[in-house]
Amino acid sequence: MSQACNGELIPVGGGDPIPLIRPTLTIGRRESCDICMRFPNVSGLHCELVFKDGHWAIRDLGSTNGIKVNGVRVQKKVLHPRDTITIAKRHFTIEYVPTTVQRLEEILEDEEDVLSQPLLERAGLARPPRDEDTPRPRKRGRKSLEDEEDAEE
């Protein structure tokens, strides 16, 4: 039984190409990963490749050493044919033929905008900015000007 191949990962510097035969492929050090990379600097569950709407995308799954696309560290990214993917210092080129003419912006509409929120806020270490119209909570034991005016009347 042969499976349809939606492209392949080609190791830079030589090696056997890895056929991309499923719509979602996990990459990591674990035996249970679809693409098992037995290197100490590869996380157990490092990243995943997803084939959606005719394009491949890559997403980091909380790995220690991260992933890079064309030399830039990313959390997730839509991949173009011949992009270079770096997984813990191992380099691959992705080769595939996009099957739709859909704009990449439309594919990413569902994706979260990583830069829309400050990093400290995303990590829960800072509070989001407050609206100017929103009253600040009063501290205990302090009266507001309104309370003092009411007391005078």
Side-chain angles (χ1 to χ4, degrees):
M1 173 171 82
S2 70
Q3 294 178 323
C5 184
N6 292 320
E8 55 190 10
L9 281 181
I10 301 170
V12 174
D16 294 332
I18 302 166
L20 304 175
I21 57 175
R22 292 190 195 152
T24 301
L25 296 163
T26 56
I27 300 173
R29 201 174 60 240
R30 292 182 188 163
E31 292 286 332
S32 61
C33 290
D34 298 307
I35 300 171
C36 182
M37 297 175 66
R38 294 182 187 96
F39 301 104
N41 59 346
V42 174
S43 295
L45 194 56
H46 202 95
C47 61
E48 75 177 353
L49 288 168
V50 178
F51 191 68
K52 180 180 175 187
D53 297 325
H55 295 274
W56 281 101
I58 192 165
R59 182 169 65 107
D60 192 320
L61 297 175
S63 67
T64 302
N65 292 312
I67 56 172
K68 292 181 181 178
V69 176
N70 299 324
V72 178
R73 189 166 181 160
V74 297
Q75 287 299 308
K76 54 188 163 186
K77 182 154 178 40
V78 173
L79 300 170
H80 301 281
R82 293 177 297 287
D83 275 350
T84 299
I85 302 165
T86 304
I87 301 169
K89 301 197 181 205
R90 285 2 186 237
H91 306 284
F92 299 88
T93 300
I94 187 163
E95 292 286 347
Y96 75 99
V97 178
T99 58
T100 62
V101 188
Q102 185 177 11
R103 292 172 28 138
L104 292 177
E105 290 82 18
E106 293 174 13
I107 294 171
L108 291 174
E109 276 180 6
D110 297 335
E111 297 293 328
E112 175 186 346
D113 182 13
V114 175
L115 299 177
S116 67
Q117 192 176 21
L119 182 60
L120 290 175
E121 194 176 309
R122 285 179 58 92
L125 300 174
R127 292 189 178 141
R130 201 177 6 236
D131 287 338
E132 297 289 327
D133 299 332
T134 307
R136 292 183 175 240
R138 289 187 284 163
K139 294 185 179 179
R140 289 185 189 169
R142 299 186 107 189
K143 291 184 179 180
S144 69
L145 289 176
E146 293 170 2
D147 291 340
E148 289 176 11
E149 287 173 4
D150 290 342
E152 290 175 8
E153 293 176 1

